[in-house]
Amino acid sequence: MFNNIIVALATPPMEGALAIIRVSGENCFSLLRKIFSNKTQYEGHKLYYGKIKDGEEILDEVLVSTFKKPHSFTGEDSFEISCHGGMFIVESVIALCLKHGAKLATKGEFTKRAFLNNKIDL
């Protein structure tokens, strides 16, 4: 499906008021349309309000920040989901992304993609 899309928690893995889940890769907005109630034509550097849904089940009310390539950290299309910070919600949203074809990012993979796309250098 979306083999090149990666997903990971971008904030520390702990209970808190908010958590940010980062998603990056070609066609990531197609994945977003599958899980997000706001199915607009996503523009870069915009913030969208809606619900993350697994079918008819609402997992959380969220804000989604969108970034179009090459104007993102990784140099790829990407988005960040700002959700409530309970780890149950975070794990549920990440699992939903995995269910729809994303893969869990390895440590440093967002930075590696930024380097490979000439967004940062050593």
Side-chain angles (χ1 to χ4, degrees):
M1 250 191 266
F2 302 116
N3 295 350
N4 66 333
I5 297 174
I6 55 174
V7 59
L9 180 62
T11 50
M14 55 192 261
E15 297 292 328
L18 298 173
I20 297 174
I21 297 167
R22 182 175 289 155
V23 180
S24 184
E26 187 178 339
N27 295 319
C28 69
F29 297 123
S30 294
L31 183 148
L32 183 59
R33 280 186 192 85
K34 292 177 183 287
I35 66 171
F36 190 43
S37 64
N38 189 335
K39 302 198 186 304
T40 188
Q41 184 65 29
Y42 305 114
E43 298 177 45
H45 293 90
K46 296 283 183 177
L47 193 62
Y48 299 94
Y49 165 78
K51 296 171 177 69
I52 298 294
K53 297 175 74 174
D54 186 0
E56 293 302 311
E57 179 185 4
I58 297 171
L59 300 182
D60 198 12
E61 277 186 90
V62 302
L63 292 173
V64 173
S65 307
T66 55
F67 308 93
K68 293 275 185 141
K69 67 178 179 182
H71 306 291
S72 70
F73 174 69
T74 59
E76 305 171 327
D77 286 343
S78 63
F79 63 90
E80 294 178 349
I81 301 169
S82 298
C83 62
H84 290 92
M87 288 310 295
F88 177 78
I89 291 172
V90 168
E91 291 168 1
S92 297
V93 172
I94 290 174
L96 184 61
C97 291
L98 297 175
K99 174 181 170 181
H100 286 283
K103 70 177 187 81
L104 199 56
T106 59
K107 291 180 180 180
E109 190 168 1
F110 289 98
T111 304
K112 176 182 176 183
R113 287 180 180 211
F115 174 74
L116 292 174
N117 290 319
N118 296 311
K119 297 302 289 184
I120 58 174
D121 63 21
L122 300 177

